[in-house]
Amino acid sequence: MSYTSEMWKSIRKVEATRQRRLQETHPRMPPRGQEEILKRFHPDYVEGGMRELLVGPNRGDRTPNELADLLEGRSHIDAAAFDLERVDYECDILVIGGGGAGASAALLAQENGAQVILTTKLRFGDANTMMAQGGIQAADKPNDSPVIHYLDVMGGGHFTNVPELVEALVMDAPSVIQWLEDLGCIFDKEPEGTMKTIHGGGTSRKRMHFARDYSGAEIMRTLRDEVRNRQISVLEFAPVVELVMDDKGQVAGAILLNLETGDYSLVKAKTVIMATGGGGRLHYQGFPTTNHYGATADGLVLAYRVGAKLAFMDTMQYHPTGAACPEQILGQLVTEKVRGLGAQLVNVEGEQFVYPLETRDVEASAIIRECVERKKGVVTSTEQQGVWLDSPMIDILKGPGTIQTNLPAMVRQFGRFDIDMTKEPILIYPTLHYQNGGIAIKPDGSTDIPNLYVAGEVAGGVHGRNRLMGNSLLEITVYGRRAGKAAAQRAKEVELGELTLEHLQDWEQQLQEADLEPQIASPLLLPDYTRHTRPVSKVM
Amino acid sequence: MAEELIPIYIMGKKYEVPPSLTIMRAMEWAGYKLIRGAGCRSGFCGACATVYRIKGDYRLRIGLACQTVVEPEMYLAQIPFFPAEKAIYDIEELKPTPEQLFQIYPEILRCLSCGTCTKACPQEIDVMDYMADAMKGDIASVASKSFDCIMCGLCAARCPAEEAQANVALLCRRLYGKYLAPKSQHLWERIEEIGAGKFDEEVAKLKSMGEEELRQRYKERDIEPA
């Protein structure tokens, strides 16, 4: 049903070349070739996709248009009218975001003696963490070391990463796996206990630990359960719409919006940990995304408005393999683990055109080139282009049943649309996946703004210009823990002054000085996918 | 090409929508801005559990709104939240035994083995089967059979014995992961090596290395065969 007759003709070619391809390894791209293909085909280099920011700490830096509009947006809050005398919640640490980074931070903050409130826009656990399928990197095998992991991370990020942040990432990795296991996270293992590990794009050792293809879900549901068991206060459907400062220039809390009633509330907090995740739902350049519904880059906007510097905001990660067919799951993630297990990428003629495990930016660019320049893509009934990911190879290479055992979520997802990926290849195309950059942090998760800590996808610098697979689940846990601990230490010594929203008035002034009259109020909070045939009533 | 629209009923109210849309997209097409009832939009988070029935058929069906395509004459309601019991426990204090399981969730033993939960699972997990294992105290089996659970809560919503199967399964997985899974010797060894500073010098060297030299090191690194 999902595949057209033309697509089936192409599948026959894929099948015809499969036996031969099983013996073939497509050569890796040399460094110079990588640079060239990125410049010619990666969406980061598409002219008109980005613009310079006109205001704020990153004035003059380029970032996607959609994000620039939000960063230069107005506050939802009327600063002059908002009553800061009435404090609704008071705590040592306010964690903003209920994904893996926020949960990790909340746990460590509480362990270090802080009284914590975790607030989140949707449900606790509605986060990209939940959807991460592939795995988490840690150099814990005898043939591996944090040194080799370090080199892989730097190379993957094109040597732009902040060295101290990479060091923390790779050195903490094994102990983070241990921490997760102590909390009861399950990892796939050999019967005697050796962790099962595979390659990801750009890794030189098999260090991807996984839990079937529910790796992120397993981590998220365990961390969430632990937060609940420790009875940390969790506020759901309560996104932050503005940070609050004190008269000493420190971050001192936040204004929350109850998404269901429309009421605002005020939290006074000695420190704030920003863990709001990424911004895939801004659909840069019209790309579909793998991200969850709430991924609208709110944290960047909030931090930018209190003067925090952003890093690497001119680079986004497009995951090479988003679903391209059927239409109903367009852009949803097809985990890199499919290639890690041996599936090749092939064009309409059934021929390989790229080494399957290049770094994600290079791999995505090669797919775009194959479709756009070489016209060797496969076209669906809805005019979507893509190339084949030859999944049936996995069972041939590793034995029948391997796909079902290792990729149950993927089999289920395609099976719902009558595609059996154990027998037929699946069609893929790059999809907006990850925010490589974010708020600039130090190794303890702190920022240039007093009392503001940051962890997870909303942070920038760890991955430089390109993140490797399996370093995101690692980042959220490593930096969630670090930020939680550091913020708890800091909370012990903080003396807050008078609460103020003066920074919002300053912001308005900056907008005026830059001759900007933004119509947009930000943060965005949720994308709008609704269709209305007439203007909507204000009663709503 | 324009699609012919089909009628669906969102909480009883009729809308005409394109037949190729998922339930979630159809609701948005009809004008609903979702706050509850939408999460990952990819079938992993369980926010969009939906119960529906086709006109003229008494049987209730279930699906995730983000992964289920609309059908003509579909009557649907989302169940974005269900007040299921979640026990509070200290995982450090527990033992991976059947007694522990029954102590934390005594209602496990109320299971009627009716199979309604299995029929309600959008992940096609045989929930009744793992609940049978839970009644036997077989923690490892529950952990394995329930592993693909997205905790949408439909099993609990439909259970005549008022179980919270997903939470029982979560407890079993945590007990398995912490206490019953085989230990990884290589992980312990690496953590000790890092603690003893074995890699400090070499990492420091890489950190201070110029970009050209680092590029060379990267290019020359040996790669473990697939």
Side-chain angles (χ1 to χ4, degrees), chain B residues 5-125:
Chain B
L5 303 183
I6 59 167
I8 65 166
Y9 298 82
I10 299 170
M11 290 173 279
K13 194 168 175 184
K14 186 175 175 180
Y15 295 91
E16 303 268 340
V17 301
S20 62
L21 300 183
T22 58
I23 293 172
M24 184 173 288
R25 291 289 299 119
M27 289 182 75
E28 289 169 337
W29 202 88
Y32 284 77
K33 180 150 183 178
L34 299 170
I35 293 175
R36 288 190 185 260
C40 76
R41 304 178 72 107
S42 292
F44 281 85
C45 80
C48 63
T50 303
V51 177
Y52 65 95
R53 192 176 63 73
I54 306 297
K55 192 175 186 177
D57 187 347
Y58 68 89
R59 282 174 297 184
L60 287 177
R61 306 174 197 213
I62 49 81
L64 299 174
C66 72
Q67 302 289 306
T68 308
V69 178
V70 290
E71 291 179 54
E73 308 282 354
M74 174 186 242
Y75 285 75
L76 66 92
Q78 287 199 298
I79 308 196
F81 175 81
F82 193 81
E85 163 71 357
K86 146 77 190 118
I88 300 297
Y89 45 83
D90 180 350
I91 193 80
E92 294 294 331
E93 301 289 314
L94 302 189
K95 291 191 176 67
T97 62
E99 295 70 30
Q100 186 83 73
L101 208 52
F102 305 148
Q103 186 221 324
I104 294 176
Y105 286 113
E107 62 272 27
I108 288 173
L109 301 170
R110 297 184 67 223
C111 174
L112 309 167
S113 301
C114 67
T116 309
C117 49
T118 297
K119 272 164 66 180
C121 181
Q123 293 287 82
E124 295 170 319
I125 295 169

Side-chain angles (χ1 to χ4, degrees), chain A residues 190-255:
Chain A
E190 303 295 348
E192 95 296 347
T194 302
M195 292 276 184
K196 289 188 183 175
T197 51
I198 60 167
H199 270 303
T203 57
S204 66
R205 293 291 183 279
K206 295 180 182 175
R207 72 169 77 86
M208 198 72 54
H209 301 58
F210 52 88
R212 298 188 191 173
D213 53 353
Y214 287 98
S215 305
E218 171 63 1
I219 290 172
M220 187 70 243
R221 61 198 180 191
T222 303
L223 293 176
R224 178 175 61 189
D225 193 51
E226 186 63 13
V227 169
R228 286 176 177 158
N229 280 346
R230 297 208 200 154
Q231 306 192 56
I232 293 170
S233 300
V234 176
L235 306 172
E236 296 184 311
F237 298 97
V240 169
V241 291
E242 215 60 77
L243 292 176
V244 174
M245 308 282 286
D246 72 1
D247 56 6
K248 303 176 187 172
Q250 312 179 104
V251 166
I255 299 173

Side-chain angles (χ1 to χ4, degrees), chain A residues 123 139-140 144 152 167 182-183 189 193 199 204-206 221 225-226 229 260 293 328 332 416, chain B residues 20 29 34 36 39 41 45 86 89 122-123 147 149 174 178 182 184 186 190 207 221-222 224:
Chain A
R123 301 174 312 163
D140 61 6
D144 199 1
D152 284 349
E167 176 185 35
D182 279 344
L183 289 171
K189 294 182 178 187
H199 270 303
S204 66
R205 293 291 183 279
K206 295 180 182 175
R221 61 198 180 191
D225 193 51
E226 186 63 13
N229 280 346
E260 296 179 301
Y293 188 37
Q328 289 86 357
Q332 289 179 22
R416 282 173 176 139
Chain B
S20 62
W29 202 88
L34 299 170
R36 288 190 185 260
R41 304 178 72 107
C45 80
K86 146 77 190 118
Y89 45 83
Q123 293 287 82
F147 196 82
C149 172
R174 292 191 65 186
K178 182 172 176 63
S184 305
H186 60 90
R190 180 53 41 84
K207 270 172 65 191
R221 79 206 201 286
D222 65 306
E224 183 179 0

Side-chain angles (χ1 to χ4, degrees), chain A residues 51 68-76 305 507-508 511 515-524:
Chain A
R51 69 171 173 85
D69 290 347
L70 293 174
L71 288 173
E72 293 172 350
R74 289 215 144 90
S75 177
H76 292 282
R305 237 171 244 167
W507 180 250
E508 276 295 323
L511 290 174
D515 271 333
L516 289 173
E517 282 186 42
Q519 303 302 308
I520 297 177
S522 58
L524 181 65

Side-chain angles (χ1 to χ4, degrees), chain A residues 426-483:
Chain A
I426 50 183
L427 199 72
I428 60 87
Y429 195 78
T431 177
L432 179 56
H433 188 55
Y434 189 79
Q435 182 171 285
N436 288 314
I439 306 163
I441 58 164
K442 296 171 193 140
D444 64 352
S446 64
T447 64
D448 289 338
I449 309 297
N451 301 356
L452 179 64
Y453 293 75
V454 178
E457 189 173 348
V458 69
V462 180
H463 311 294
R465 301 191 62 83
N466 179 60
R467 175 178 64 81
L468 296 184
M469 171 199 182
N471 278 345
S472 181
L473 287 177
L474 181 59
E475 179 191 17
I476 58 165
T477 39
V478 164
Y479 281 97
R481 285 167 51 84
R482 283 177 168 255

